[in-house]
Amino acid sequence: MHIRDLFKQKKFTLSFEVFPPTREGNLENLFVTIKELSDLKPDFISVTYGAGAAHGKRLWKSPPGLKGL
């Protein structure tokens, strides 16, 4: 489902935005945070990467298992 479809179906939505670590390394804290937020039953959780172009040309790939947490 696209977010725009969700907004058409529901008058109110709950969502969270998270930011992955700025340096390469352990994503454990990100997963813990997402799990804790998912317990609140949000409609979606977005992952924002590279806001402000701080990461140059590096791309962040979503780790397997992130979708559906």
Side-chain angles (χ1 to χ4, degrees), residues 21 25-35:
N26 192 345
L27 296 174
E28 185 176 341
N29 287 339
L30 177 64
F31 282 110
V32 168
T33 299
I34 291 172
K35 175 62 179 135

Side-chain angles (χ1 to χ4, degrees), residues 10 12-13 17 20-22 32 50 54 66:
K10 297 179 80 174
F12 298 101
T13 60
E17 179 180 21
T22 56
V32 168
L66 182 61

Side-chain angles (χ1 to χ4, degrees), residues 3-64:
I3 293 173
R4 67 175 174 259
D5 298 328
L6 180 65
F7 289 151
K8 288 178 186 176
Q9 291 178 3
K10 297 179 80 174
K11 187 172 182 176
F12 298 101
T13 60
L14 174 65
S15 66
F16 297 103
E17 179 180 21
V18 296
F19 300 85
T22 56
R23 296 190 179 116
E24 298 286 332
N26 192 345
L27 296 174
E28 185 176 341
N29 287 339
L30 177 64
F31 282 110
V32 168
T33 299
I34 291 172
K35 175 62 179 135
E36 290 173 355
L37 293 174
S38 68
D39 290 343
L40 298 172
K41 307 291 187 222
D43 294 293
F44 63 92
I45 298 174
S46 63
V47 179
T48 300
Y49 176 76
H55 300 287
K57 294 183 179 182
R58 276 191 8 208
L59 295 176
W60 186 73
K61 293 184 179 179
S62 175

